[in-house]
Amino acid sequence: MEQFRNIGVIGREGNGVAETLRRLIEFLQVRELGVVLDEAVSELLDDHDLRVSSRRMIGEVCDLIIVVGGDGSLLGAARTLARHNAPVLGVNRGRLGFLTDISPDEIETQVGAVLDGHYRLEQRFLLDVEVLRDGEPVGRGDALNDVVLNSGTSGHMMEFELFVDGEFVYRQRSDGLIIATPTGSTAYALSAGGPIMHPRLDAIAIVPMFPHTLSSRPIVIDGKSEIKMVVGRGNVVHPPVTCDGQVKITSQPGDVIYVRKKPHKLRLVHPLDHSFYASCRDKLGWGTHIGKEDSDV
């Protein structure tokens, strides 16, 4: 297993984040490890003499990146860090925490175990999106969870065409479409009725948002597929394309949107006792209604 000597720390302002950051940094310093702070973290901790780096450079100078915050914090970091091949570990200060799976109270034990070489490494693929207008690119983005095309306004449907690997799939009127990775299958796509996919699957889920026809259902395709969406020219809205709900590209009627697998993957670090199914039971409340009399069946 890799030995980590220079640790990058990323986080953003939120409930209890500064306190957790101080606890983490103190623990890393006790172990005599190099600590590099992201610029946003440096602003939260104004009483330090540690090295500070930009988000783009921190992946080049560190062996391990620790993100303190919710899944949104890790999503934002992942889109930058994937190209650097730096492994990422999450400490959860958010709500669900499917990606940031270490609690603040377990920093010394769980982070310590990872630093001692006791961890599991997963590779998660990301999506690239490109918006073309009259054949010319007008916007690009990438996403770990999902790429979403939506009408951008309440009460208005939009019309678009969907192609997979150049083959026409359907023309649809709906509130939009969610293109989700296995990582994102437990996020926005899940609330729209999409399937839960194991993170190791090489697959993409295509999930309609409130389609006009009841027969429109989510479909799962090969992860290497190229997805093309053509925004109908008759639309009165300019539908936004969002990446992980954080990056927004405004499209226009007639625009063509391509979604493809990104060549770089995120290397996500988990403690050895991490289980995807245990996370689902915990975060999604699976089986919480079962009484004691049923638990021995």
Side-chain angles (χ1 to χ4, degrees), residues 9 16-29 41 44-47 68 107:
V9 179
V17 169
E19 177 185 346
T20 301
L21 285 168
R22 291 189 180 93
R23 179 173 175 174
L24 171 64
I25 291 169
E26 181 180 351
F27 173 69
L28 296 175
Q29 290 178 318
V41 170
L44 291 177
L45 308 173
D46 53 5
D47 53 345
V68 178
I107 284 178

Side-chain angles (χ1 to χ4, degrees), residues 162-219:
L162 173 69
F163 299 80
V164 175
D165 291 328
E167 184 176 353
F168 177 67
V169 179
Y170 53 58
R171 179 179 293 108
Q172 185 177 99
R173 281 185 58 80
S174 68
D175 281 6
L177 200 65
I178 302 171
I179 312 296
T181 67
T183 301
S185 69
T186 53
Y188 192 23
L190 182 62
S191 68
I196 294 176
M197 299 190 291
H198 194 280
R200 287 200 297 266
L201 282 176
D202 186 10
I204 296 172
I206 301 177
V207 184
M209 300 169 61
F210 298 102
H212 191 258
T213 55
L214 295 177
S215 58
S216 293
R217 290 291 183 265
I219 58 176

